[in-house]
Amino acid sequence: MTFSPLVGAYPLSRPRRLRQSGWVRDLVAEHHLSVSDLIWPIFVHDKDVARDPIRSLEGVDRLSIAEAVKEAREAYALGIPALALFPNIDPSLRNDDATAAYDPDGLIARTCRAIKSAVPEIGLIVDVALDPFTSHGHDGILSNGRIHNEKTIEILTRQALVQAEAGADVLAPSDMMDGRIGEIRKALEAQGLTDKLILSYAAKYASAFYGPFRDAVGTSALKGDKKTYQMDSANTDEALREVAMDLQEGADMVMVKPGLPYLDIVQRVSETFKVPTFVYQVSGEYAMIKAAVNAGFMDHDKGVFETLLAFKRAGASGVLTYFAKYVAEKLAR
Ligand code: PBG
């Protein structure tokens, strides 16, 4: 930006003139949040109850399939473009090889079919990752104590195909294995599933902010961390390499995750690649806002809207947020 001849000096220029009342602030606002920016992550479970509250995520429940269909209808009526589905399956179905991940009658496949037949117009994004299906809670197959890249990709590819056949519109690999986008894309093409979108969690950091999510999908027992596959929070150039590779391998859209602590990454990715760039306001960010509000340190709605607008400012095309339905209702009023 070059300034000199265009910006007058005080008092000819008084920036406060543009802030004096609501109508002019609205008129000159550079960024806007709208319902079409929102992706709503929901948790489904295979228990017999309609809704099961998640202790660490106030106001978020695990849903039965029937309840998820109801929520999908409401989300669609509110104008939310897409849902992101995450499963909590019975621990007895989890094993070292994550075989439930590619069960054509598994929880996610059944949920996709149910939502797609009831609300065909809403976008369905599914998580391609093994952690809800492994007995240990890692996103991959262990071999001699290490996550084995190629063995994991083999299972991820089978999972993605099952999800795509079940009606998922967008496959969203969140596992951070090398080369998985290319293999999944190849498999989709081979099946003639050429319209399926891939939203790659391209820059996903090993983060302390995923705690409540692990409670939600039932992987809190995870030992150790995910630092051998998720990114080191010290790095930014590496995020650009990850995004470049995933785009070359056939990703249509990319994601940065978590959100607020990684706004610089959102900005660099969106400016560098000019491709649809999404950001995930993760569970720990949500829980942190709720905790501050409950302690009386923050106004709920102001905190929520300010953080979501920050993502837009940084260049995000849209935001995955547990606040999506709440915000959509607010925006509709
Ligand atoms: C795992 C996955 C995680 C999240 C989405 N997919 C957690 C992890 O990597 O351990 C986190 C989302 C959130 O915290 O809201 N495949």
Side-chain angles (χ1 to χ4, degrees), residues 129 131 139 174 204 210 213-214 226 230 257 282-283 322:
D131 51 312
D139 294 42
S174 71
K204 173 170 175 180
Y210 305 147
F213 175 95
R214 292 180 189 169
K226 301 190 175 182
Q230 299 179 349
K257 173 184 175 188
V282 299
S283 58
Y322 301 101

Side-chain angles (χ1 to χ4, degrees), residues 44 46 85-103 106-109 126-141 155-156 159 163 217-219:
V44 288
D46 49 14
L85 303 181
F86 296 95
N88 179 311
I89 69 166
D90 195 277
S92 69
L93 299 174
R94 304 181 194 207
N95 56 35
D96 287 351
D97 301 322
T99 49
Y102 53 87
D103 177 357
L107 179 60
I108 287 295
V126 291
D127 199 48
V128 183
L130 305 187
D131 51 312
F133 308 99
T134 54
S135 30
H136 42 71
H138 275 293
D139 294 42
I141 303 299
I155 310 289
L156 290 172
Q159 178 186 29
Q163 293 167 330
V217 298
T219 58

Side-chain angles (χ1 to χ4, degrees), residues 85 98-114 116 124-130 133 153-172 183-184 187-188 191 193 196:
L85 303 181
T99 49
Y102 53 87
D103 177 357
D105 281 313
L107 179 60
I108 287 295
R110 280 181 285 131
T111 308
C112 286
R113 285 194 289 268
K116 270 292 150 183
L124 267 193
I125 303 172
V126 291
D127 199 48
V128 183
L130 305 187
F133 308 99
I153 292 183
E154 204 187 304
I155 310 289
L156 290 172
T157 305
R158 295 175 74 166
Q159 178 186 29
L161 284 178
V162 164
Q163 293 167 330
E165 300 279 8
D169 302 293
V170 184
L171 292 318
E183 290 304 313
I184 292 170
L188 290 170
Q191 294 300 310
L193 296 165
K196 296 296 176 183

Side-chain angles (χ1 to χ4, degrees), residues 12-211:
L12 295 180
S13 280
R14 288 178 183 264
R16 287 186 55 198
R17 287 190 203 112
L18 292 173
R19 298 178 202 140
Q20 61 185 291
S21 51
W23 69 265
V24 66
R25 289 193 295 270
D26 285 349
L27 203 59
V28 302
E30 296 174 39
H31 296 279
H32 300 274
L33 182 70
S34 82
V35 67
S36 59
D37 296 316
L38 304 171
I39 294 170
W40 189 24
I42 62 172
F43 297 99
V44 288
H45 69 185
D46 49 14
K47 294 193 193 78
D48 263 347
V49 284
R51 306 184 76 101
D52 180 22
I54 300 160
R55 196 187 47 85
S56 53
L57 282 176
E58 181 190 322
V60 182
D61 300 335
R62 301 177 195 94
L63 310 173
S64 66
I65 294 179
E67 201 68 13
V69 169
K70 248 192 252 171
E71 292 286 22
R73 271 206 191 91
E74 291 182 21
Y76 179 68
L78 284 164
I80 293 175
L83 302 176
L85 303 181
F86 296 95
N88 179 311
I89 69 166
D90 195 277
S92 69
L93 299 174
R94 304 181 194 207
N95 56 35
D96 287 351
D97 301 322
T99 49
Y102 53 87
D103 177 357
D105 281 313
L107 179 60
I108 287 295
R110 280 181 285 131
T111 308
C112 286
R113 285 194 289 268
I115 293 179
K116 270 292 150 183
S117 72
V119 201
E121 305 90 347
I122 201 161
L124 267 193
I125 303 172
V126 291
D127 199 48
V128 183
L130 305 187
D131 51 312
F133 308 99
T134 54
S135 30
H136 42 71
H138 275 293
D139 294 42
I141 303 299
L142 282 172
S143 171
N144 302 320
R146 310 277 297 174
I147 301 293
H148 194 290
N149 199 79
E150 280 64 38
K151 281 183 189 160
T152 301
I153 292 183
E154 204 187 304
I155 310 289
L156 290 172
T157 305
R158 295 175 74 166
Q159 178 186 29
L161 284 178
V162 164
Q163 293 167 330
E165 300 279 8
D169 302 293
V170 184
L171 292 318
S174 71
D175 56 290
M176 291 300 281
M177 295 304 117
D178 294 331
R180 87 279 204 219
I181 301 297
E183 290 304 313
I184 292 170
R185 178 56 80 203
K186 245 198 314 196
L188 290 170
E189 289 287 319
Q191 294 300 310
L193 296 165
T194 53
D195 282 345
K196 296 296 176 183
L197 294 153
I198 297 180
L199 165 57
S200 164
Y201 286 70
K204 173 170 175 180
Y205 287 84
S207 169
F209 288 85
Y210 305 147

Side-chain angles (χ1 to χ4, degrees), residues 33 281 289 293 297-310 323 326-327 330:
L33 182 70
Q281 181 177 50
I289 292 175
V293 170
F297 300 152
M298 194 193 282
D299 178 90
H300 181 270
D301 291 0
K302 287 182 184 151
V304 170
F305 277 84
E306 185 173 334
T307 54
L308 294 177
L309 198 56
F323 292 115
Y326 178 83
V327 168
K330 286 264 155 193

